[in-house]
Amino acid sequence: MNLNCLIVDDEPLAVELLEAYVKRTPFLELKGAFTNAFDALALLEKETLDLLFLDIQMPELNGLELSRLVGTQVKVIFTTAFEQYAVEGFKVDALDYLLKPISYPEFLRAAHKALRWKEMAEAASSLEVREIADALFVRSGNKFVKVQLSHILYIEGMQDYVKIYLDDNSQPVVTLNTMKDFEESLSFPFLRIHRSYIINFDKVTMVERNRVFLGGTYVSVSDTYKEQFLEQINRKTLK
């Protein structure tokens, strides 16, 4: 399996070093290298890419801004000389973070992480969330797990993974899928209330300010989803 990758860094010497590292790595295929984020964005709109080696501090359009434009199908490994950007990098779901000067072993470790992500993603397509009557099957590791819809408390998105929390206090079911997969597969009483959360509305026992209480846990309601959540609350509220 090969990964199609792109390098974006406003320092020509950094680009040259990363190009050399890519050429030394058998499973990486370089599709382009740019010192300008706008040129990279133009290629990203045309090509199907897997991986982006991206500097953070760049003029006009910086790496964090560019990473928000590329979509979830392209994984980002940030390359920067400034360690304080690490936290910001992971806030935008970066796959990894490499601090300059970058050694080849560090580069190879991050590249292998991207390869593992690609292998797992291909093994767990959106078709592997299958709703059957009152249950759904999800891939967890190398097996399919049947989850009863009525036992789901809430679903939490964790970068490349999703955790399904159940009302029997068992360990969450972990699957390599996206929140979008679940949102499209499930209907009411399942309701998205946050970028990272889908809840079973029937399991909510209390609403307090911008959070709900279910199964002994508070889950936040974000401003983006607040209106549709309040609509459901109003329908269930005695006048």
Side-chain angles (χ1 to χ4, degrees):
M1 178 182 293
N2 287 339
L3 300 179
N4 295 326
C5 65
L6 181 66
I7 297 168
V8 187
D9 195 309
D10 64 334
E11 299 178 9
L13 290 178
V15 171
E16 289 180 13
L17 178 66
L18 291 173
E19 283 181 317
Y21 285 171
V22 169
K23 290 176 182 177
R24 289 177 61 182
T25 309
F27 56 86
L28 294 181
E29 185 172 341
L30 186 63
K31 292 297 183 179
F34 299 98
T35 56
N36 182 293
F38 289 104
D39 292 338
L41 187 59
L43 181 65
L44 284 161
E45 291 173 350
K46 298 176 184 176
E47 295 280 347
T48 300
L49 296 171
D50 302 302
L51 182 60
L52 178 59
F53 292 98
L54 179 60
D55 187 22
I56 291 180
Q57 192 174 45
M58 295 187 295
E60 297 183 330
L61 183 67
N62 66 44
L64 290 172
E65 293 166 338
L66 178 59
S67 70
R68 295 186 180 101
L69 300 175
V70 301
T72 58
Q73 298 305 309
V74 181
K75 287 300 172 186
V76 174
I77 295 176
F78 281 118
T79 60
T80 180
F82 301 94
E83 190 170 4
Q84 66 267 28
Y85 287 127
V87 173
E88 291 300 318
F90 286 114
K91 282 183 180 178
V92 293
D93 292 338
L95 185 68
D96 211 336
Y97 175 91
L98 295 174
L99 187 64
K100 297 177 181 178
I102 302 166
S103 69
Y104 182 66
E106 291 172 333
F107 175 91
L108 187 60
R109 174 192 57 76
H112 272 291
K113 188 174 181 180
L115 182 63
R116 290 194 298 271
W117 161 78
K118 181 67 173 179
E119 290 171 343
M120 294 177 71
E122 289 198 355
S125 68
S126 62
L127 292 177
E128 291 170 345
V129 177
R130 302 179 181 136
E131 186 174 356
I132 301 177
D134 60 350
L136 58 82
F137 281 92
V138 296
R139 178 186 286 273
S140 183
N142 59 0
K143 59 184 180 296
F144 283 97
V145 177
K146 185 178 182 180
V147 179
Q148 295 291 333
L149 298 182
S150 61
H151 291 308
I152 296 175
L153 286 172
Y154 65 96
I155 299 165
E156 181 181 16
M158 305 280 290
Q159 294 188 352
D160 301 324
Y161 296 87
V162 169
K163 286 186 176 181
I164 304 171
Y165 292 84
L166 305 174
D167 61 7
D168 60 1
N169 294 319
S170 61
Q171 288 294 315
V173 177
V174 180
T175 178
L176 184 66
N177 284 99
T178 67
M179 292 293 281
K180 183 179 179 182
D181 293 334
F182 281 89
E183 190 173 21
E184 292 176 349
S185 298
L186 298 172
S187 55
F188 192 80
F190 293 95
L191 189 66
R192 190 160 189 176
I193 62 168
H194 191 280
R195 180 172 178 264
S196 300
Y197 296 109
I198 295 171
I199 63 166
N200 183 343
F201 189 83
D202 289 345
K203 300 290 185 179
V204 175
T205 56
M206 183 171 62
V207 179
E208 182 184 47
R209 297 180 182 176
N210 289 331
R211 58 182 187 170
V212 299
F213 188 74
L214 70 174
T217 302
Y218 281 103
V219 177
S220 298
V221 181
S222 72
D223 290 340
T224 303
Y225 298 95
K226 187 175 182 179
E227 184 176 348
Q228 67 175 3
F229 175 70
L230 290 177
E231 286 179 5
Q232 295 298 333
I233 291 293
N234 289 334
R235 290 176 186 173
K236 302 291 185 179
T237 302
L238 290 176
K239 303 298 183 182

